[in-house]
Amino acid sequence: MKHPHPNHWRGLEEWEDPTSVREQAETEFIDTPLRIGAEPGRRDFLKATGFLVAASSFTACSRPPEEKALPPVVQLEGDVPGKSYRYATVCGACPSACGIVAKVRDGRPIKLEGNPAHPLTRGGLCATGQASILSLYDSHRVQLPRSAGKESSWDEADSRIAEALSAARQNSGAVRVLSSTLTSPTLLRQIASFVSAFPDGKHVVADPVSASAILDAHERTHGVRRLPHYQLGKAEVVASFDADFLGSWIATTEFTRGYTESRLAEQAPRKAAWHTQVEARYTVSGGKADERIKVAPWEVSATLEHLVAKLASLSGKAFVPGSAAPAADVMAAIDRLAQRLWNARGKSLVLYGANEIAGQQLANFANELLGNYGSTLDLSLPSLQRQGSDRDLAQLLAEVAGGKVAVLFVLGMNPVADLPLSDATRQAFERIPMLVTLAPREDETAAIAKIHCPDSDPFESWGDAEPVAGLVSVQQPLILPLDKSRPALESFAKWAGKPASAYELVQAHWRESIHPRAASAVPFETFWHKALHDGFAEVKSNLPVAGAFATGAVTPLGKQAAATAMLQLYVKPGMLDGALAYNPWLQELPDPVTKATWDNYASISPAKAKELGVKNGDIVRVAVGDTALELPALVQAGQHDALVAVALGYGRKISARFQDFGPKWIDHRATTGANGLVGVNAASLLSMEGNTLSYLRPGVTLATTGKRQALAVTQSHHTLSVPENLDPGGPPRPIVQEVYLSEPETFPAHDPEDVPELWPPDHPYPGHRWGMAIDLDACTGCSACVVACQIENNVPVVGKDEVMRKREMHWIRIDRYYSGDVENPSSAHQPMLCQHCENAPCETVCPVLATVHSSEGLSQQVYNRCIGTRYCANNCPYKVRRFNWFNYPREDKLANLLLNPDVTVRSRGVMEKCSFCIQRIQEAKISAKQEGRELKDGDVVTACQQSCPANAIVFGDMNNPESKVSKWVKNPRRYRVLEEINVRPSVHYLKIVKRSGEKPGEEHHG
Amino acid sequence: MSHRIISLLLGIGIVMSLLLMAGRFGGARVPANQQGYEPVQPIAYSHRLHAGELQIDCQYCHVAASTSRHAGIPSGSICMNCHKQVKATFGVVRQEDEAATAEKRPRRDVMSPELRKLFTDLGLDPSKDLKEQQVTQTVAWTRVHRLPDYVYFDHRAHVNAGVSCQTCHGPVETMERMRQHASLSMGWCVNCHRDATKNGINGKRVNASIDCSVCHY
């Protein structure tokens, strides 16, 4: 082999042939339209010259058009135009109900941020939550009630519903409300009182991504149907069996914060933090784990059972596993894991991801044996973030199929697309005499609904949330409703015959039921205003006490037949269950693991791909029983050979809007697939066996089809490399660096800061000197920062075709590198943004001085000076500059209300890049000046830093020795990427801490 | 042969563009320089009267100049603080008073035609009692000072540093109709920033940075 395998690699291509990837990286910026095909000809040259002459002459000829200036009608006291105000409220993107702070500028909410005071997330906000603000400004939202597909009015809709309800009351017809988990106590009570008015009324809660088995298992082992509140922050040893708690499982933002806090390498005494992940699919958590045990998909529960047996024997109890023992090496790993868990009794956590009651009971038993209940799992103040019951759902589906349901209300769910409905059941849904959906958009269920009563956006209406028992939040409106939608709370009040406004309903419920639970006796008004101001209030729980652990409830698993192949349906971080499939930010967000955008795919292992002879993008036919789907294949390192994984949440009707997405030009390829939608809906492959929604299906077969659908995978884009001639035959550049815990207690300090300089320092930095530090050990790759930056800085979405041309515009990207064993690699996530180099290579090559160094250490990009030569991007060693090839779509006037008025909207032909959120720096500096004080550390918080659930980013003034960033820079783990080329970046990284293994030898020298 | 054609075409192109440019620079003005722009406004509001003669402080109406990026154009409700009472100039009111006394008749309500326009534009009915009515609309003024979208100017930073309004907006107190006094070009801004750093503002030392990112982001 000419070149050795690299230590860290970005994809399997690079593992196999690093040289070709390096060569490709060197020509990355050369593909201009003029070079495709033939050499640039005389005609091209003439065209370009003519265009330039004409354009430069004409642009100089115009006076700006006359513009109107409209002052506000009434100047409200305390409302200053052009100033941003922040209001605490609740995120409505998923049932995690994280606390957020919304930034409202001139009456419009324009940015969501995590609420730093919120006890669960403490400041972070995931990509989905960040992106959910677009929902408010979505011009495709249903404006008015619709009946049978035609626009109607609220009066007509209400009277038709009232008729149906009174008929149901007289004939004892079944009235059902089907919703996903609702965290709003007021809405839950409203629905409960609504359905109780009917002889046969019921509220069925079911989640498309169900955690029903966890609740059911606790009902059997503890006598209460509850989801424990997992406290990752208290857990030193975590054993996760296919629960992707850092990616998409239950409340990832909270889990990520707790996980990184309990693993901080610098805390003294250093904790024995450890994370083992047992899985077949390659997840975010698996890549991050200290030890990843790859097992066949059907062996995950068996491995858990054998762990339970080990723990039982350690605690002197007897438990005989019923399943066959996994392979010897897995058993050895399980032995070690059991010992680790046992040593950390009460400070450990066993998680099980599959929606399968028997396995969940084993996990409960493991946690009980380890004494974790009451410390790392809280059942007395349980999580209310997943309440769905698969049994209730199965019963409802049976009722619908049997034609028993007279009136069905659907809220926060899209059963036609979310559930594996047979044709008969789907037809039965269509036959329901009164099917009402409250979906905000025209989804699959709305298409068959008799009446569509659009729910308001969370930012338009009052509401509340109780994500964890005893923690309540008020959701306050930030803007008057933009259309004639009506909050679900008001709709149910109206249909119950007691119309009231959402504000009255929420306040009444708080007065009656929440305020009496307050810990200290304060008047209601004080309590309410404090909760409104802080964004949350802590109250006492009103739940009965959980029972003692019933050991008898745990039964060994049966012998499982080894399958040959299994299908796993999962949800991607960001896209989740698909309710936000209309959201271009989330569609274009690279998946943290596969780096794929704009599609779902059948993820298969490299060996399986070789066996089938398929490459990325070859369409394969995935069949389980009679159901089959055709999906492009994606080869995923680290995945078990017997597993095929397909993401749910795609192929949604609400993604039909992307059919014409992206700039139109000669070569334009559609963003949507053959079905006119983004991706393929895989919900039909789910199963409802034994009253449980099952995401794992045995007996899957794969077949090639000979067709292709290219995937927009950003894995190989913007590859960092150094030209060979700088270091011929040298070792691969350590772009991601690691330290080993086996090394001495304090990590060896990195090589000294200063390389001798020939020249006197160019930049004295008399005032501030901005810098950033990123802790790679904390970063999980969740990509919240990517979306936060995109919203803050008006970064456009370009569409699938442009992404395939490596033209995605994200100012901050997360490079994912694999390392270790190619069969079972671990992954490192490196957020990569403009490094604001002191000796910036981009600045020296700009012919028009459009990018220059500021006196505070920023590499400034001046859009109005830029003429688009792209020399700077070509010369950037970090590949972080983004070129506007087009005027990206800004046609949607409503969506434009979301643009940040503090950041220029860039036009075609202009280079752009991370500015260190200069608008926030300026704002903080001027505010400090206005208040007559010095700028403090922490006054400037960049958008990426704010959103990071792992607290992995700090930003500040490096001239201030007391600033957080200065302290991080003194950390012995600090290094700078591509340090040896002496561009002296202002972004510092902290090395990854390897908790397992020894530092590898120097065998990689070529 | 083809090379000749190319050279010829190129030559023509260059000559044409030079001619066009020469035409532009006849007025010696940077494109989009609006210095001296003085559009007719929907209501003949006079800064000379309000700021000059009556000496109303600029920030009485432009409320946000010291607290926000935008100084703000006053809302109709601010106009109505005074104009609920004041409906015509003092001279006209006194004339009517004298005429009413001389003719021994009750005093008629006089209203200046420009204020009548204001009341109508604000959605008020001038024939009824103004004190009883709420402002429901706004006046569509024609914008005079406009910076390009890629320039961020913050009033706060300047007002709080002691830069007077007139430094940039000129002798507003003498302007019957609002006029753009300065060129508002980058060179003009940068010169002032250099001067302020060198000489201070009103004897106070300031650091008026000339980094690009102070205005461009």
Side-chain angles (χ1 to χ4, degrees), chain A residues 232-237 258-274 290 340 344 347 741 745 993 995:
Chain A
L232 269 296
K234 291 184 186 163
E236 287 176 15
V237 179
Y259 178 79
T260 46
E261 268 175 10
S262 70
R263 288 163 64 90
L264 276 182
E266 274 70 34
Q267 59 194 352
R270 192 184 276 166
K271 286 188 195 164
W274 186 264
D290 301 309
R340 272 183 201 278
K347 287 182 292 182
L741 263 194
E745 187 66 20
V993 180
R995 289 168 177 79

Side-chain angles (χ1 to χ4, degrees), chain A residues 255-264 777-780 949-951:
Chain A
F255 293 163
T256 304
R257 175 55 61 95
Y259 178 79
T260 46
E261 268 175 10
S262 70
R263 288 163 64 90
L264 276 182
D777 191 45
C779 177
T780 64
N951 231 353

Side-chain angles (χ1 to χ4, degrees), chain A residues 650-782:
Chain A
Y650 282 82
R652 297 304 175 108
K653 198 179 162 194
I654 47 173
S655 65
R657 65 179 66 183
F658 297 119
Q659 277 168 9
D660 282 330
F661 198 78
K664 322 271 170 302
W665 62 308
I666 335 156
D667 260 354
H668 177 68
R669 288 168 289 183
T671 292
T672 50
N675 54 1
L677 306 171
V678 178
V680 176
N681 190 353
S684 57
L685 297 175
L686 286 166
S687 88
M688 278 292 293
E689 287 155 27
N691 289 350
T692 306
L693 207 48
S694 181
Y695 298 85
L696 265 174
R697 302 292 307 275
V700 63
T701 57
L702 277 182
T704 51
T705 59
K707 288 182 279 189
R708 266 192 73 76
Q709 180 189 336
L711 288 170
V713 183
T714 65
Q715 182 163 272
S716 61
H717 300 185
H718 314 301
T719 308
L720 266 66
S721 73
V722 174
E724 276 260 283
N725 55 9
L726 277 187
D727 187 9
R733 301 274 165 177
I735 288 164
V736 175
Q737 299 190 15
E738 290 157 347
V739 286
Y740 283 78
L741 263 194
S742 52
E743 290 175 56
E745 187 66 20
T746 49
F747 300 116
H750 194 71
D751 41 355
E753 147 95 0
D754 287 311
V755 185
E757 281 281 341
L758 283 175
W759 314 106
D762 267 353
H763 306 295
Y765 308 116
H768 306 290
R769 183 187 170 187
W770 303 112
M772 183 179 272
I774 302 177
D775 187 350
L776 295 185
D777 191 45
C779 177
T780 64
C782 75

Side-chain angles (χ1 to χ4, degrees), chain A residues 162-176 191-203 399 404-407:
Chain A
E163 275 168 36
L165 289 175
S166 72
R169 197 175 283 120
Q170 277 158 20
N171 315 332
S172 295
V175 175
R176 297 284 180 268
I191 295 176
S193 85
F194 170 72
V195 294
S196 66
F198 299 94
D200 184 11
K202 194 177 172 195
H203 178 196
E399 284 172 353
K404 272 179 65 185
V405 176
V407 186

Side-chain angles (χ1 to χ4, degrees), chain A residues 85-89 100-104 476 478 532-533:
Chain A
Y85 294 90
R86 280 153 204 273
Y87 298 95
T89 182
I100 53 171
V101 175
K103 174 173 152 188
V104 179
Q476 55 177 323
L478 304 165
L532 198 57
H533 172 269

